[in-house]
Amino acid sequence: MRHFLTINDFTKHEILEMLALAIKIKTEHKNGVETPYLKGKTLAMIFEKSSTRTRVSFQVGIYQLGGFGISLSNNELQLGRGEIVRDSSAVISSMVDMIMVRTHMHERLEEFARFSSVPVINGLSDVFHPMQLLADYLTMIECGIFVPDPLLHNVGMKENIAKPIVAYIGDGNNMANSWLMLASKLGFEIRLACPNKYMPHKDIIKIANENAKISGATIVITDDIFSVAKGAHVITTDTWVSMGQEDEKEKRMWDFKDYKVDSNIMSLAHKDVIFLHCLPAYRGLEVSEEVIDGEQSKIIEEAHNRLHAQKGVMVWLNEQNQTKKS
């Protein structure tokens, strides 16, 4: 059974297959072509952690693919009343064709997948946010910022940069981890600038460095925001205080005060730099209003691409698991 828990589970070719599918399906939908790739399929969406973009994009995505989505919050499930993950996973997976889980703990997601008889997709965990990264790379592709590959050229994406530079500034969290996985698999340059107390976990860095030996990726991890921004094609960040960290807010505000993405930081980047943010964003904190609402910002296109990237993943997983069954 193929699940989608982290980008590290897949080869470069498989990741690009999903993205090529996403581009194909997005183009078909834009041109008014029906896309019933998952006709009659049911997607269960489990939210242990609340959401805006994840819920809307998955629910609309499965509908546009000809299927049906069921949204379940933690207080609607026996999981919220103490049922073990193993039982919930076995029962729910016996009734649906695919499951998306958005959870506080990556270990719960892995356990859910272990006992599921259908594909499980990581809608977000405390360690990784892979769906967001596929949407981010899809946005980069549409802006001509991607590693050249025949799979992408076959779906009409011709302009590209030989080795893009992405600068991530802020918390070494699930977004930073996911950027490390994507860059190290696809072979572009990722630069992370994080306060010393908020660096990504050393085990994640080790995996990324091992991947980079194969892909040719460049990985830079520092606390210097100016050096990572210099010449970057993409500058991205995330909120300083994620959901569940509210009790750390005052300390984090102080620790991250020098890590704001503003016009001075953007001026160090490539002349055609784009700004990305997974949202929700807090203007005036991790990013200035002039940047996030400026011409270089692609946050709305990026959020919209969650819909299409996830459709590519769902169709790819369905095809892979159908092939295995036959």
Side-chain angles (χ1 to χ4, degrees):
M1 179 62 60
R2 299 298 300 270
H3 302 291
F4 197 120
L5 307 188
T6 167
I7 288 166
N8 196 52
D9 293 339
F10 303 97
T11 65
K12 174 181 178 178
H13 187 81
E14 289 173 331
I15 295 164
L16 293 177
E17 280 183 333
M18 296 176 206
L19 287 163
L21 257 177
I23 293 166
K24 176 178 181 290
I25 296 169
K26 181 177 181 178
T27 302
E28 290 171 344
H29 184 76
K30 183 178 179 180
N31 293 334
V33 178
E34 293 293 321
T35 57
Y37 293 95
L38 297 180
K39 185 176 181 180
K41 301 290 185 180
T42 302
L43 170 72
M45 299 171 289
I46 297 174
F47 292 96
E48 293 188 327
K49 196 170 185 179
S50 59
S51 166
T52 299
R53 281 153 292 277
T54 300
R55 177 170 181 171
V56 175
S57 56
F58 269 109
Q59 187 128 18
V60 173
I62 190 66
Y63 172 77
Q64 290 181 351
L65 292 171
F68 180 77
I70 303 171
S71 181
L72 299 164
S73 65
N74 207 35
N75 60 10
E76 295 173 311
L77 295 168
Q78 295 300 331
L79 274 170
R81 299 173 59 188
E83 182 174 55
I84 62 172
V85 171
R86 175 176 185 165
D87 290 349
S88 288
S89 176
V91 170
I92 295 170
S93 65
S94 73
M95 302 180 189
V96 301
D97 301 290
M98 202 171 290
I99 302 170
M100 185 284 297
V101 180
R102 184 176 168 93
T103 181
H104 293 276
M105 295 182 292
H106 194 76
E107 293 84 358
R108 283 171 70 82
L109 177 72
E110 291 176 324
E111 187 178 2
F112 206 99
R114 192 157 57 248
F115 294 103
S116 173
S117 57
V118 300
V120 173
I121 298 171
N122 182 358
L124 175 141
S125 72
D126 58 336
V127 183
F128 296 112
H129 196 359
M131 293 298 101
Q132 181 64 55
L133 264 292
L134 290 193
D136 290 358
Y137 199 69
L138 177 54
T139 307
M140 289 169 58
I141 290 169
E142 292 175 342
C143 293
I145 306 171
F146 64 95
V147 180
D149 190 273
L151 267 173
L152 299 180
H153 290 162
N154 287 342
V155 288
M157 300 296 157
K158 301 297 183 185
E159 297 180 9
N160 57 267
I161 295 168
K163 193 169 183 179
I165 300 170
V166 175
Y168 174 92
I169 296 171
D171 192 6
N173 59 10
N174 54 2
M175 283 298 297
N177 292 342
S178 297
W179 274 112
L180 284 170
M181 293 299 97
L182 187 72
S184 67
K185 283 287 185 174
L186 298 189
F188 59 86
E189 182 168 342
I190 179 68
R191 303 171 180 171
L192 272 63
C194 311
N196 285 319
K197 293 185 289 186
Y198 298 92
M199 293 289 180
H201 195 279
K202 61 182 180 180
D203 290 344
I204 303 294
I205 296 172
K206 182 179 178 181
I207 293 169
N209 282 325
E210 289 298 316
N211 291 341
K213 292 176 183 177
I214 299 170
S215 69
T218 300
I219 298 171
V220 177
I221 302 175
T222 178
D223 62 354
D224 183 357
I225 68 172
F226 300 103
S227 64
V228 301
K230 189 174 181 180
H233 302 99
V234 178
I235 292 183
T236 182
T237 186
D238 191 12
T239 176
W240 295 341
V241 184
S242 296
M243 197 181 306
Q245 297 174 334
E246 288 80 6
D247 58 340
E248 304 173 27
K249 183 175 180 178
E250 187 175 339
K251 184 177 187 303
R252 282 175 166 267
M253 291 298 102
W254 175 259
D255 291 342
F256 285 96
K257 62 183 175 59
D258 296 325
Y259 286 79
K260 180 194 291 187
V261 177
D262 57 19
S263 58
N264 291 329
I265 294 298
M266 296 295 286
S267 70
L268 299 173
H270 188 276
K271 64 182 179 64
D272 296 322
V273 65
I274 63 171
F275 174 76
L276 300 178
H277 192 305
C278 63
L279 302 179
Y282 298 91
R283 288 161 171 80
L285 294 180
E286 73 268 16
V287 58
S288 66
E289 288 189 18
E290 62 189 352
V291 170
I292 196 168
D293 297 323
E295 292 183 1
Q296 295 163 311
S297 177
K298 300 295 179 183
I299 63 165
I300 303 305
E301 296 90 336
E302 175 190 11
H304 176 71
N305 275 333
R306 285 287 301 276
L307 170 66
H308 303 291
Q310 289 162 188
K311 286 194 284 188
V313 169
M314 288 190 286
V315 172
W316 188 90
L317 282 174
N318 182 66
E319 290 177 352
Q320 290 292 310
N321 288 302
Q322 288 298 323
T323 301
K324 283 193 171 186
K325 286 180 181 178
S326 61

